Amino acid sequence: MTTVLSAAPQAVATAVDLLVRGQVVALPTETVYGLAADATDAEAVARIFEAKNRPSFDPLIVHVRSWEQLQGVADVTEPLVHDLADKYWPGPLTFVLPKGDSIPDLVTSGSPHVAVRMPAHPFFREVLQAFGKPLAAPSANRFGRISPTEAGHVLESLGGKIPLILDGGPCSMGIESTIVRISEGTIYVLRDGPVSREELLRFGYPVSGASDSAAPGQLASHYAPRKSLSLVNSAADIPPEWHQESGFLAFKSPGKNDFGAIEVLSPTGDIVEAAARLFGCLHRLDAAPVARLWAERVPFEGLGRAIMDRLTRASVR
Ligand code: TXA
Ligand code: MG
């Protein structure tokens, strides 16, 4: 049985009670919903892998409330990490840093590096505060599937497998955190996200997306709907005889259309709105009575790069 509770002191207390007992709890963050467990307890962390059906070669992000909570979790001597964190924490930027002793190897899949971030969502922060220990949390979906941006998405994907979902409403950003690793004065982007490469470049260091350093869990096929999805430059590229049985994910308002189902990321072409709506639109299209899906490419810059990363992986089967 999975219970869903809305934001209230009672909900936080219930979540903490479960976490103390080594259980998993789904919590909202500003990016996507996470499936959290005590990051210092290998058995609790193993329950995350089990509930998600996640392969153990895919390491987890550790979430902390404060710099004090980073003690023992990660080594943060690199000055550029402090500069970036000053600007983006709490928020959607994750650092891959040398791992501290309090984090079991299962969290990092045996890597000597750990991914950490300080989330901004007040509900998640309340739980971190009340629990008093860092929380490991991947996105709260079955492995490889569309990420959850509403409590209902979590229930659909993990209902019956986890005891509790805290419902904080829809996630404001809707796309997973940017992951960076800093090495020899270069910022390597392991996963594109809400903090864009253009923003990172303003810190005056080279920004690189070297594919050999991509995050280990970023498989070619990921974020996948159940139906096949193809990318197109515009609706005009979709054969008309397919329209009726197709679902179309448009970037901007497409005008008149005859698709079996349609979702528009942002009527005005606002890329921030588009990112926030991306996974919700994909969930709805996947549930619509159509045979296959098409998605319109978005401009490959700023947040558009993160959206294109998710769409490209969703289109690989
Ligand atoms: O916004 C987010 O980051 C969300 C919320 C819940 O915080 N979390 C999230 O977690 O997206 P997940 O597990 O779905 O994706 C984490 C990514 C994976 O691709 C994983 O391979 C990478 O982070 N990662 C984790 N630890 C790593 C490490 N030590 N080195 C390199 N990549 C790592
Ligand atoms: Mg994920």
Side-chain angles (χ1 to χ4, degrees), residues 269-312:
D270 171 359
I271 205 78
V272 176
E273 181 183 30
R277 287 174 44 78
L278 174 67
F279 289 128
C281 288
L282 279 174
H283 277 283
R284 283 191 294 277
L285 285 176
D286 208 20
V290 290
R292 59 172 302 166
L293 308 179
W294 308 81
E296 185 172 32
R297 293 189 175 89
V298 308
F300 199 70
E301 60 194 23
L303 252 181
R305 191 189 279 270
I307 296 175
M308 281 305 296
D309 169 69
R310 307 310 189 266
L311 282 177
T312 304

Side-chain angles (χ1 to χ4, degrees), residues 145 159 197 223:
R145 294 294 171 187
R197 295 185 191 199
Y223 314 106

Side-chain angles (χ1 to χ4, degrees), residues 227 238 240-249 257-263 284-285 287-294:
K227 291 167 188 153
I238 305 168
E241 64 272 23
W242 275 99
H243 285 200
Q244 199 53 50
E245 52 196 285
S246 290
F248 181 48
L249 179 61
N257 77 83
D258 59 352
F259 291 100
I262 185 156
E263 292 285 339
R284 283 191 294 277
L285 285 176
V290 290
R292 59 172 302 166
L293 308 179
W294 308 81

Side-chain angles (χ1 to χ4, degrees), residues 4 9 14 23 26 56 61 68 112-114 118 131 142 189 199 212 256-257 281 283 294 304:
V4 182
T14 308
Q23 296 294 323
S56 58
I61 296 176
E68 293 75 65
H113 291 89
V114 62
M118 196 182 286
F131 182 52
R142 286 181 69 79
V189 178
E199 284 178 69
D212 61 342
K256 200 170 164 305
N257 77 83
C281 288
H283 277 283
W294 308 81

